[in-house]
Amino acid sequence: MRTDKTIAHIYFPYGCQAPAKICRIEYYEDSSQNFFYVFTPDYDVIDRLPPGVFHGIQGLNLRLRKRKYIRKNVLPTFITERAPIHTRENLQCLMAGMNMEKYIPLQWLKQTTSQYFGDEMFVAE
């Protein structure tokens, strides 16, 4: 049974065009307290991006062309580089500011306006 399911998308902005929705991310926990991140890249969109502007999604080897990349009980690199770590001293205060009762990094990324410094990709609905 799945609990705490969160769904979001990774967007890649480039040029004057609307950001491209390049990947779907799902987060859920099962009844045994395991958690999962499932990345589903949209290769049709990724393949249409101009050469040299898109350099991949951290932690995923897109050259494998997998339909889904699943991370069980591991925070994916893409998430850890963008969301606060669970041991952050002021995390409860940050969560209160976002009206979050339980810290789910993917949910955080959907709600935050903070921008990652390494690229312009962002997570949204």
Side-chain angles (χ1 to χ4, degrees):
M1 178 173 195
R2 295 179 181 189
T3 61
D4 291 327
K5 186 170 183 176
T6 300
I7 298 173
H9 294 90
I10 300 173
Y11 289 85
F12 180 78
Y14 66 99
C16 297
Q17 300 181 9
K21 190 188 304 185
I22 61 170
C23 188
R24 175 184 165 111
I25 308 174
E26 296 174 60
Y27 166 85
Y28 64 90
E29 296 176 10
D30 66 17
S31 57
S32 301
Q33 302 300 311
N34 293 303
F35 65 91
F36 300 83
Y37 283 90
V38 181
F39 291 78
T40 307
D42 188 335
Y43 293 110
D44 290 337
V45 172
I46 292 169
D47 291 344
R48 286 194 308 261
L49 293 172
V53 299
F54 177 69
H55 302 289
I57 299 170
Q58 294 91 338
L60 303 182
N61 183 352
L62 296 178
R63 288 183 299 245
L64 297 176
R65 307 290 287 196
K66 290 183 178 181
R67 193 169 76 76
K68 294 183 183 292
Y69 295 80
I70 300 170
R71 302 296 184 258
K72 179 180 178 184
N73 296 329
V74 174
L75 276 170
T77 303
F78 180 84
I79 303 291
T80 60
E81 289 188 357
R82 290 170 165 74
I85 59 173
H86 72 281
T87 57
R88 184 170 169 155
E89 189 173 308
N90 67 339
L91 183 60
Q92 292 301 317
C93 194
L94 293 172
M95 288 173 45
M98 303 282 266
N99 294 320
M100 293 178 68
E101 292 181 23
K102 180 178 180 180
Y103 182 58
I104 298 173
L106 184 56
Q107 186 66 39
W108 169 271
L109 291 175
K110 282 175 58 173
Q111 293 179 226
T112 189
T113 57
S114 297
Q115 180 65 41
Y116 174 64
F117 65 89
D119 58 48
E120 295 183 16
M121 289 187 281
F122 63 92
V123 175
E125 201 63 49

